[in-house]
Amino acid sequence: MGNVLEVKDLCKTYIINKRQNNVLKNVNFCITEGEMVAVMGPSGSGKSTLLYAVSGMDGITAGNVMFEGKEIHSLPQKKLAQLRLEEMGFVFQKMYMLKNLTVLDNIILPARQSQKNQRSRREQVLRGQELMRKLGIVDIAENDINEVSGGQLQRACICRSMINKPKMIFADEPTGALNRTASNEVMEELKKINEEGTTIMLVTHDVKVAAKCTRVMYIVDGNIKGEYHLDRYDALDEKAAKERERTLNNWLLEMGW
């Protein structure tokens, strides 16, 4: 399998009160098609900045970010926005949805905006309903967003991220605002999407979440200090799942977690 994402010598610097703050420093990594990669590290280590930089949501100071063989930061803003809309999906800790639209209309909105997606509205609605059915929330399709639970809303956000059949999903603390039950449900859905072929990169502070991934990158002060590889997370019994979390947690402690 080829690389979906290649990052070379990535640097991101902010100037605050005339002082230079190097948030990312010569970061290098690749993500292969079909991987599910977690980024972990202490607060302020550059996790979210890294996610936004490699997905083209934020600019960079130096280096290269290749997505599907394209250097994204050399693209004009309009082309970059189109790439994010049609080839990438995004899930955030805060569940951004338009309050004047139903849950289903929020989900299909990116399809309505896509130039690549030339389907009729009826076809887009059917696609949205199919995704909602897969994630077990089709019964809330016509609800307003303030009429559903946090776990349901986050699953709706995952549906929205998948509506244009992206090559890769970027998720920033997708379970951070959820209780443990809802968090487990959301991670199960992300895992299923990954098993169906969608590459995922997510930022998390939760070892239970990271243990469901195939690789964990640990970042400190803008540098990737180490990587931990895991076997694909299949249907493990509770004892095996706990052992997986324990070994990952031990590695994180060695890294300075």
Side-chain angles (χ1 to χ4, degrees):
M1 292 186 181
N3 291 327
V4 179
L5 187 69
E6 297 180 47
V7 178
K8 298 178 181 177
D9 300 325
L10 175 63
C11 298
K12 175 70 179 179
T13 301
Y14 293 104
I15 306 296
I16 302 173
N17 297 328
K18 298 183 180 181
R19 295 184 64 180
Q20 188 169 292
N21 183 15
N22 300 312
V23 184
L24 300 174
K25 308 167 191 173
N26 297 313
V27 174
N28 292 275
F29 66 90
C30 295
I31 294 181
T32 305
E33 183 181 350
E35 275 197 286
M36 186 169 176
V37 179
V39 181
M40 301 189 77
S43 297
S45 59
K47 302 186 295 297
S48 293
T49 301
L50 177 63
L51 189 85
Y52 295 155
V54 301
S55 62
M57 291 185 67
D58 197 4
I60 63 174
T61 305
N64 297 96
V65 178
M66 306 288 289
F67 182 83
E68 290 275 288
K70 296 176 186 174
E71 213 304 316
I72 65 172
H73 287 285
S74 64
L75 293 173
Q77 281 302 311
K78 194 170 181 180
K79 289 274 189 186
L80 180 55
Q82 187 178 346
L83 178 74
R84 289 197 304 264
L85 175 66
E86 297 176 346
E87 305 295 336
M88 300 176 181
F90 296 89
V91 183
F92 303 99
Q93 178 175 351
K94 188 172 181 181
M95 301 157 219
Y96 299 99
M97 290 264 182
L98 296 179
K99 294 179 181 178
N100 60 324
L101 298 180
T102 65
V103 174
L104 177 58
D105 283 338
N106 267 286
I107 287 169
I108 67 171
L109 186 60
R112 304 293 294 164
Q113 297 173 318
S114 170
Q115 295 177 19
K116 180 183 79 170
N117 191 335
Q118 296 299 316
R119 296 175 177 180
S120 67
R121 176 176 170 81
R122 181 176 179 277
E123 289 173 316
Q124 291 166 350
V125 165
L126 289 173
R127 164 80 175 153
Q129 289 171 335
E130 176 195 359
L131 288 167
M132 294 185 81
R133 194 170 290 109
K134 275 187 176 181
L135 272 71
I137 55 169
V138 73
D139 57 318
I140 64 164
E142 299 306 319
N143 286 47
D144 292 337
I145 64 168
N146 60 354
E147 297 175 333
V148 300
S149 71
Q152 288 173 320
L153 199 58
Q154 193 62 297
R155 278 181 277 174
C157 291
I158 294 171
C159 291
R160 183 179 58 186
S161 76
M162 291 295 295
I163 195 71
N164 286 332
K165 300 182 179 178
K167 293 281 192 296
M168 187 168 179
I169 287 178
F170 296 90
D172 188 13
E173 297 281 8
T175 64
L178 304 177
N179 61 35
R180 177 54 61 194
T181 300
S183 172
N184 289 338
E185 289 171 357
V186 165
M187 281 309 299
E188 280 303 309
E189 300 307 336
L190 285 173
K191 189 166 71 70
K192 285 178 193 172
I193 289 166
N194 176 246
E195 287 167 355
E196 290 168 1
T198 304
T199 308
I200 297 175
M201 176 181 178
L202 64 88
V203 166
T204 185
H205 65 276
D206 191 331
V207 175
K208 288 180 180 292
V209 168
K212 291 181 169 67
C213 298
T214 55
R215 176 159 52 117
V216 178
M217 297 193 300
Y218 191 76
I219 186 170
V220 179
D221 295 333
N223 288 295
I224 294 177
K225 188 176 179 181
E227 294 188 2
Y228 189 82
H229 292 261
L230 300 113
D231 296 329
R232 188 162 287 282
Y233 187 97
D234 296 316
L236 300 177
D237 59 41
E238 187 176 351
K239 184 178 178 183
K242 289 285 185 187
E243 178 61 20
R244 185 181 175 98
E245 292 167 16
R246 189 186 65 78
T247 56
L248 173 58
N249 191 63
N250 288 344
W251 177 79
L252 289 168
L253 290 173
E254 289 174 12
M255 291 290 103
W257 178 249

